[in-house]
Amino acid sequence: MAVSAIIQDGKVQETATQNSLSKASSAGNDMDKDAFLQLLVAEMQNQDPLEPTSNTEYITQYAQFSEVESLSNMASNMDLTRASSLVGQEVYIKTTSSNGTAQYVQGKVDYVVYENNKAYLSINESLYALEDLDTVVDREYLNASTDAYNFTAKLNKLPAVANITISNNAKTIDELNEAYNSMSDYQKQFIAKDTVTRLTKYTEQLSILRAAALTGDSKS
């Protein structure tokens, strides 16, 4: 589930839920050197004096712990680097509602917050855990796909080709033609071929109506 937070006076205001989760995570998962040494001392104090643990075993345990700690720190640093590289990028975050329904949040990553060895992405003034990142989208791709969707939706609102009139539909058809002609080749790739074919038919029918209007046989 994504973690969200309120931003006030430029600072993250942690909610009671986040505070509880943070404490639980800190208490349940973190094992620093001090805690390890305390356990090691307790083990030495309570060992069987007849079969004491060798110094080599203690050194091995500490070395293993240090290795695990180093790997954990490395993973945390990699997460921070990855999260930082997303600043300014358009992303989709997958969240889960209280009833278990998957939902998506789309927006630009404004900045990154790093707390309790976890990276959080700020999107629309809310924080989301890096682990909830679903998709990173190129802005040009996103704009092109959005424009294509809006273009097709506008075309779909026109009546059947045979039913269009100059007074009601000419402006929309002209705007669609202007929009399509101003698109780059990359943007045009997002417009389906059948959509372009339909626009051509509307344009041809509009030309017939305009020609008829000039001769006095108009369809208004």
Side-chain angles (χ1 to χ4, degrees):
M1 181 180 294
V3 179
S4 60
I6 299 173
I7 308 299
Q8 184 176 343
D9 296 329
K11 297 182 179 180
V12 178
Q13 306 298 309
E14 189 174 52
T15 64
T17 301
Q18 284 180 276
N19 185 46
S20 176
L21 289 173
S22 298
K23 291 181 178 178
S25 176
S26 177
N29 299 323
D30 292 344
M31 171 67 76
D32 58 17
K33 290 182 179 179
D34 290 339
F36 176 79
L37 291 175
Q38 290 177 8
L39 290 175
L40 191 60
V41 170
E43 182 181 349
M44 295 176 66
Q45 292 176 340
N46 294 280
Q47 65 180 326
D48 187 345
L50 300 178
E51 296 182 4
T53 304
S54 67
N55 292 336
T56 302
E57 288 185 51
Y58 287 128
I59 294 174
T60 300
Q61 290 180 31
Y62 185 76
Q64 290 175 341
F65 172 79
S66 297
E67 182 179 356
V68 171
E69 185 182 42
S70 297
L71 291 174
S72 177
N73 291 336
M74 184 182 299
S76 297
N77 290 334
M78 290 179 65
D79 281 347
L80 179 58
T81 300
R82 180 189 176 202
S84 298
S85 69
L86 294 172
V87 174
Q89 297 290 322
E90 291 286 335
V91 300
Y92 282 91
I93 299 293
K94 184 177 181 181
T95 65
T96 305
S97 64
S98 57
N99 60 7
T101 303
Q103 299 175 333
Y104 289 88
V105 175
Q106 179 263 320
K108 184 182 73 172
V109 178
D110 296 316
Y111 58 86
V112 173
V113 174
Y114 197 63
E115 295 180 350
N116 297 323
N117 293 326
K118 291 191 66 176
Y120 297 92
L121 309 177
S122 173
I123 301 171
N124 300 326
E125 297 303 322
S126 293
L127 294 179
Y128 300 91
L130 179 62
E131 62 196 41
D132 292 321
L133 176 67
D134 182 82
T135 308
V136 181
V137 186
D138 177 73
R139 182 177 289 275
E140 184 180 8
Y141 172 91
L142 181 63
N143 290 339
S145 60
T146 301
D147 290 343
Y149 175 84
N150 293 334
F151 181 92
T152 304
K154 189 173 183 178
L155 182 68
N156 289 340
K157 291 181 180 180
L158 290 171
V161 173
N163 296 329
I164 66 170
T165 64
I166 295 176
S167 59
N168 292 331
N169 311 117
K171 180 180 179 181
T172 299
I173 295 173
D174 288 340
E175 289 175 347
L176 287 169
N177 273 297
E178 182 180 357
Y180 183 77
N181 292 330
S182 65
M183 290 181 180
S184 65
D185 291 339
Y186 176 77
Q187 292 171 318
K188 289 179 179 179
Q189 295 177 8
F190 291 81
I191 307 294
K193 292 182 178 179
D194 64 329
T195 300
V196 177
T197 299
R198 289 171 56 209
L199 177 60
T200 300
K201 291 181 179 179
Y202 279 114
T203 303
E204 292 173 348
Q205 179 64 11
L206 181 59
S207 297
I208 294 174
L209 294 178
R210 282 173 168 163
L214 292 176
T215 61
D217 184 19
S218 63
K219 179 181 178 183
S220 58

